[in-house]
Amino acid sequence: MTSPSIGTGPGRALLAVYGLFALAAGARATVQILTRFGEAPLAYSLSAFAALVYILLTVALARGARRLALVALFVELAGVLVIGTASVLDPAAFPEATVWSVYGRGYLFIPLVLPFVGLYWLLRRR
């Protein structure tokens, strides 16, 4: 079942931020994979995965697909927490930063805050 109301009002700002992150992370990962993949394949692959999650979230929010958005938000949150922690505990494994490295430090920690905002918005709009 779809609920168009999740992408309206303040949800439009959330939709715009996810769209921007999808574009930024996707462009960054594409350039890195095409030009320097051998330098840090794990980091660049994880950035591409983050971009796919952001694309999925953008589409889910735009279409009002609440369940899909919730699943994607939990995947995003798990990714930020797991990759963030791994990059702090073993920085050598991440010679290049990913979108979610050090909990999104390269993106002003927005990747850490964003899933909580998204979950709040979706659960509040129930």
Side-chain angles (χ1 to χ4, degrees), residues 80 82-94 98 100-104:
V80 171
V82 169
I83 294 166
T85 301
S87 65
V88 168
L89 295 177
D90 188 10
F94 298 88
T98 74
W100 295 336
S101 291
V102 192
Y103 309 105

Side-chain angles (χ1 to χ4, degrees), residues 35-49:
T35 62
R36 305 183 334 238
F37 186 71
E39 294 175 19
L42 175 63
Y44 298 154
S45 296
L46 289 172
S47 286
F49 177 73

Side-chain angles (χ1 to χ4, degrees), residues 13-91:
L14 188 62
L15 179 62
V17 171
Y18 273 114
L20 180 64
F21 267 73
L23 183 63
R28 174 183 178 172
T30 300
V31 169
Q32 290 171 328
I33 288 170
L34 291 176
T35 62
R36 305 183 334 238
F37 186 71
E39 294 175 19
L42 175 63
Y44 298 154
S45 296
L46 289 172
S47 286
F49 177 73
L52 291 174
V53 171
Y54 290 138
I55 291 166
L56 181 64
L57 274 162
T58 303
V59 171
L61 290 170
R63 301 189 96 201
R66 179 181 302 278
R67 277 194 177 147
L68 180 59
L70 280 171
V71 169
L73 282 166
F74 281 113
V75 169
E76 176 193 13
L77 181 58
V80 171
L81 295 176
V82 169
I83 294 166
T85 301
S87 65
V88 168
L89 295 177
D90 188 10

Side-chain angles (χ1 to χ4, degrees), residues 4-17:
S5 65
I6 64 174
T8 60
R12 285 187 185 204
L14 188 62
L15 179 62
V17 171

